[in-house]
Amino acid sequence: MPSRIEQRERTRRDLVRVSRRLFADVGYADVGLAEIVRTAGVTKGALYHHFDGKEALFRAVLTEVQQEVAQRVAAAADAEDDPWEQFTAGCREFLAAGTAPDVQQIMLIDGPAVLGWTEWRAIDEAAAGRHLAEALAALVDRGLIPPQPVAPLTHLLSGAMNEVALWLARTSDPAAFPDAVAALTTVLTALRAPAPPR
């Protein structure tokens, strides 16, 4: 028989799982707490034991989605041996992850609207933003990107990629994703330091 701690953790996981599906399917604004607790098979009291309301529950869902995207980006980068290819593969994977309907709705559309830009950016920076900053710092250290402050470059690239991901979430053009990847590749290639003369 599961312990009380295990039961509480399972209830929390169920609430996040159910909420994620509902938020992804119809958007944050069209999901009520009554629907969440009914679908999860718990009481409102159980929900309020873990979360102080719908926004707090959404924050947990968004954090989970952001962490999953960051893991996908890291896995794509880790699959490459060359440092530059690791960087570009991770950036491409960020755009690819953003094409999933649940990621689009939760992370890109509802995230900034529900939590506000500042908090949404803080969650993003704690997940994918941290990996991007580390990758850029490593490339500068290796001389693959000319020496420069990493913080503004991280924010510049993160903002550009988030904006493209938002655009992808709102377009139905089948050429949009390949076009976005091509544009991203052009931007990233322009960052690279010229190869030293032989």
Side-chain angles (χ1 to χ4, degrees), residues 15-98:
L15 284 165
V16 170
R17 177 182 49 78
V18 164
S19 298
R20 178 173 176 168
R21 181 168 46 80
L22 292 170
F23 292 148
D25 288 348
V26 297
Y28 176 86
D30 291 329
V31 177
L33 286 180
E35 183 179 9
I36 291 170
V37 296
R38 185 180 69 250
T39 307
V42 301
T43 64
K44 273 196 179 178
L47 184 146
Y48 282 114
H49 177 77
H50 295 282
F51 304 100
D52 64 11
K54 188 169 91 165
E55 184 177 308
L57 183 51
F58 178 79
R59 186 178 293 108
V61 169
L62 174 62
T63 299
E64 179 180 273
V65 171
Q66 288 274 25
Q67 289 170 347
E68 288 175 9
V69 169
Q71 289 166 359
R72 280 186 61 173
V73 167
D78 290 345
E80 302 292 337
D81 294 325
D82 177 75
W84 183 259
E85 290 303 320
Q86 289 175 340
F87 170 60
T88 56
C91 291
R92 285 191 305 271
E93 186 60 31
F94 176 81
L95 291 189

Side-chain angles (χ1 to χ4, degrees), residues 116-135:
W117 181 254
T118 302
E119 185 174 356
W120 180 77
R121 283 294 298 137
I123 294 171
D124 180 58
E125 285 178 24
R130 181 175 51 84
H131 292 297
L132 180 59
E134 291 169 358

Side-chain angles (χ1 to χ4, degrees), residues 152-181:
L153 184 58
T154 301
H155 284 275
L156 183 71
L157 286 178
S158 178
M161 287 190 288
N162 279 323
E163 187 62 32
V164 170
L166 282 165
W167 173 70
L168 287 170
R170 289 184 164 92
T171 184
S172 58
D173 181 357
F177 182 71
D179 287 350
V181 170

